[in-house]
Amino acid sequence: QDTGCAEGGVAAAYALDLPQTSDVLVLGRYSGGDDAAVDLALPSCGAGDSLVCAQSTLSPIRARKRTLGAGSYRILAESVQGAPMQLTALVRPAVPPTLIPFANTCGEVVAIPATGGFFQGNTLNAQPDFDAGCDIGGPPPRGGPDQILELTLSHPKRVVLDMQGSGYATLLSVREGVTCPGTELTGACAAGYFPERSFLDLSLGAATHYILVDGYASQGGTWFLDVHVVDP
């Protein structure tokens, strides 16, 4: 197969059949020392058939396509060394973006549906109210401007949070507690100073979780947050 996504290496193709218009996030975890790509393409896998081509120096590679029409598609895992890769396709019925205009304090926290969704906001309209454990050392108290959301789960779930496309170096922190803002969970803070922005793939228990959208090194701006909630 040669869709024009990446040059060289070995590719394996897998079918993705969508019964309805869907939002798709493909995760490609690759072996250390390899160069790899993930490609979401039309079934013929020919030149120009690539719909989303993602390459990254960070694993997992993330390829996202929103409002993808019903039909048959192909996911290609491409490895320069022909080394093992793990592919995961997260699929949900397509949902429109939810604008988050406030959510600056615990009194304005916005609920994320238990099924996830796609959210966007702008922290330049917010103030710095909360700390994130993976921020750079030495910023002003409470770091950059932030917004806060909550996700309540009645059963344990795998929750994937992806901020690619955001317009600044992001911070993403997931917290848990009886009251807002809760306490940051171990391994649940991601700094997005690289182009792919913040990403977390977490196993969360039945509880209320607070999701903090913040800025690395006090940065702020327009952000996007894609939330996929699936069974463990």
Side-chain angles (χ1 to χ4, degrees):
Q1 296 89 3
D2 183 10
T3 65
C5 174
E7 295 183 3
V10 178
Y14 301 87
L16 175 67
D17 296 321
L18 302 178
Q20 60 186 319
T21 300
S22 303
D23 296 333
V24 178
L25 176 62
V26 180
L27 307 178
R29 301 184 185 275
Y30 58 91
S31 303
D34 195 9
D35 291 318
V38 169
D39 187 12
L40 179 58
L42 297 175
S44 58
C45 294
D49 283 341
S50 176
L51 300 175
V52 181
C53 174
Q55 296 175 277
S56 175
T57 57
L58 299 172
S59 181
I61 304 170
R62 293 123 65 186
R64 183 173 72 202
K65 183 69 174 178
R66 301 191 63 250
T67 62
L68 186 60
S72 182
Y73 300 90
R74 299 294 180 267
I75 298 174
L76 279 70
E78 304 188 47
S79 165
V80 170
Q81 298 183 7
M85 287 184 66
Q86 180 190 69
L87 282 180
T88 303
L90 302 173
V91 180
R92 66 162 178 257
V95 295
T98 298
L99 181 64
I100 309 297
F102 302 111
N104 185 215
T105 66
C106 283
E108 301 172 330
V109 66
V110 174
I112 295 174
T115 52
F118 187 79
F119 305 87
Q120 63 183 80
N122 190 331
T123 60
L124 292 180
N125 300 319
Q127 290 78 45
D129 297 295
F130 309 103
D131 294 315
C134 57
D135 202 357
I136 190 172
R142 302 191 185 279
D146 46 49
Q147 293 178 274
I148 191 164
L149 302 89
E150 68 177 7
L151 172 65
T152 299
L153 301 176
S154 57
H155 301 282
K157 294 289 183 178
R158 177 185 180 185
V159 179
V160 175
L161 304 111
D162 178 26
M163 294 194 73
Q164 63 178 292
S166 298
Y168 65 103
T170 56
L171 280 177
L172 185 62
S173 170
V174 176
R175 314 159 78 94
E176 184 178 307
V178 176
T179 59
C180 178
T183 301
E184 187 175 279
L185 297 172
T186 301
C189 187
Y193 48 82
F194 37 82
E196 293 84 1
R197 304 310 181 202
S198 299
F199 172 82
L200 288 170
D201 187 345
L202 303 171
S203 295
L204 298 179
T208 296
H209 306 275
Y210 298 96
I211 299 173
L212 178 65
V213 175
D214 206 333
Y216 184 73
S218 300
Q219 293 191 38
T222 301
W223 57 267
F224 300 96
L225 177 62
D226 196 9
V227 182
H228 286 261
V229 181
V230 298
D231 290 332

